[in-house]
Amino acid sequence: MVEIVLALLAGAALTAGPLLWSARRATRTARAATQRATEAETRAQGAEVRARAAEDRARTGEERARTADGRAHAAEARHTLAEARLATAVRELTHLAHERLPAAATALTHPRTPVPGPLDTGTGHEELHRALDAVLGTAVRAALAERERTDAAARAALRGAASKIQALLIQVRSLLEELQLTVDDPRMLALDFRNELTLRRVQSLAVLSGAWPGMTREDSPLAELCVGAQSRVAGYARVEITNHLREPRLAVAARAAEPVAIALAEILGNATAYSHPETRVVVSVEQGSSGALVVVDDMGVGMEPDQLERARDLLDGQAEVLLTELGDPPQAGFAVIGLLCRQFGFGCRVEPSPYGGVRAILRLPADLLTLTDPAAPLSALAPRPITQTAPVFDAGDALPTRKRRAPRVPHQDAPSPLPAPAGTSPDRARSAWSALQSGTAAGRSAADRPARPAGPAAPEGVETP
């Protein structure tokens, strides 16, 4: 039994051996499979992690790509905006150089000239507009400073030259006065007249340069000042003075007598220069309750509205007067009158004349007027007052009203303007010059003679008190 059992056990052992080996191998195989499965799972998990990381990186890449696209679009928008702003700046700078700066320069002498603003008035360009305005302001200030410096230098040079020339012309006048008393030659009177015209020009230059006119007077009757101013213009024979003063001895105070004479000469010079040589220049001397007026009417071409406006600015004495802005040749008449008005306290204005030309009204306030000594004789050359037609009005802004009178027919023997017209015979010319010279001598010695009625206009070159 035992042997059988042992034999069975041995047979079982022989049979179980391979089974055990197979089992062990299966176990090892299972373990290897399990390990591989575990490793595969581990690798799968790693792959999943890597896949999720890749997805995250992809999403990050997409976000970065979108951000980059946004930045690119923003950069493109900024570039487009920069180009638009550059184009706007170029247009504004071109507009500043070609339109705004020239207009601002013109406005320095013509304040009513409009200065254009920026082209683009929309929002978003405030900084550019401030910069352009700063450039414009700096340029204007620089131009003003340079203009003032240049004008000051020109005034100084003109003042020195005018003073010397004026002194020489006054010496020439004194010498001519002496020669006219001893030399009976019509050319002496013509030379005296030319000297007076030159002296008036130099006086105007002296006033423009800020110098004293160079002559002084005593209290001078207003009617005599008008005749003296008449004698300083080339077309003196066309000037007709009518005296409507209530007081024949109404005079301009000494401090303003010569400035008033200069202003009147400038007014008459303009009136005769800008009207036809065959027309009259009508002068009316009026007396009101608060001063006196000298009204000058010409029959010339008149003035345009903008010219009248500019003339009124100059006559007010408020507009800046620059020598370099008076034209070439300089048109200095209104500027001279305005400077004298501001300095000595009288006034002048211009307006369209009923005669079709220009009316100039010189207003003399009461504080510049006085009465001359009743014992002092009046000039025989000054027109006598026409009391029966003297109007009554206020000498403020109101204009004089005059009664209609019949036109005066010029005397056939009245002297002709200098020089004598063509066709005049030498004998007649010599006779006219002799008569003028005799009249000059008579006027200067009028103190010993009784006053005579007003006659023809005084000849040019006649010296008045």
Side-chain angles (χ1 to χ4, degrees), residues 272-283:
T272 54
Y274 292 99
S275 59
H276 194 276
E278 295 181 1
T279 59
R280 299 177 301 155
V281 173
V282 181
V283 180

Side-chain angles (χ1 to χ4, degrees), residues 148-338:
E148 291 175 359
R149 186 193 66 79
T150 303
D151 196 70
R155 286 178 185 274
L158 183 60
R159 187 161 49 245
S163 176
K164 293 179 180 179
I165 297 174
Q166 191 172 19
L168 292 174
L169 291 175
I170 292 176
Q171 295 175 11
V172 171
R173 170 198 279 178
S174 300
L175 180 60
L176 288 173
E177 288 177 353
E178 295 177 5
L179 291 175
Q180 287 180 36
L181 298 177
T182 57
V183 178
D184 187 12
D185 190 335
R187 292 177 297 178
M188 297 300 300
L189 190 59
L191 186 60
D192 187 17
F193 169 64
R194 297 296 187 272
N195 187 72
E196 289 298 318
L197 293 183
T198 307
L199 183 58
R200 179 173 73 86
R201 295 294 185 186
V202 175
Q203 281 183 310
S204 299
L205 296 178
V207 172
L208 283 177
S209 64
W212 173 252
M215 297 178 61
T216 58
R217 291 174 177 262
E218 298 179 348
D219 295 344
S220 302
L222 180 56
E224 295 182 9
L225 283 182
C226 293
V227 175
Q230 177 188 6
S231 69
R232 300 182 185 185
V233 298
Y236 70 91
R238 297 164 48 202
V239 179
E240 298 182 0
I241 302 176
T242 304
N243 186 347
H244 293 285
L245 297 177
R246 299 191 302 271
E247 174 52 63
R249 297 184 177 276
L250 186 69
V252 179
R255 67 181 184 277
E258 181 62 19
V260 168
I262 295 173
L264 281 174
E266 291 294 336
I267 293 173
L268 294 177
N270 284 342
T272 54
Y274 292 99
S275 59
H276 194 276
E278 295 181 1
T279 59
R280 299 177 301 155
V281 173
V282 181
V283 180
S284 178
V285 187
E286 313 280 356
Q287 183 176 357
S289 58
S290 59
L293 296 177
V294 180
V295 183
V296 180
D297 285 293
D298 65 60
M299 305 175 190
V301 297
M303 300 175 70
E304 297 296 329
D306 58 333
Q307 294 175 324
L308 276 174
E309 190 173 9
R310 173 63 175 166
R312 287 165 181 165
D313 289 341
L314 291 173
L315 292 174
D316 286 341
Q318 304 302 320
E320 185 179 10
V321 178
L322 297 175
L323 300 181
T324 54
E325 301 296 337
L326 295 177
D328 184 16
Q331 302 295 323
F334 290 138
V336 170
I337 299 170

Side-chain angles (χ1 to χ4, degrees), residues 358-433:
V358 175
R359 165 173 285 180
I361 305 172
L362 191 71
R363 301 186 300 272
L364 303 174
D367 59 352
L368 292 183
L369 300 176
T370 184
L371 295 177
T372 57
D373 186 357
L378 297 175
S379 172
L381 299 177
R384 292 295 174 261
I386 305 176
T387 56
Q388 65 271 22
T389 61
V392 178
F393 65 100
D394 184 74
D397 292 332
L399 299 178
T401 57
R402 295 175 289 186
K403 294 183 178 180
R404 186 179 300 276
R405 297 183 289 114
R408 186 174 65 180
V409 179
H411 195 277
Q412 296 297 326
D413 295 329
S416 301
L418 296 175
T424 302
S425 65
D427 292 339
R428 184 174 180 181
R430 187 179 300 107
S431 175
W433 286 119

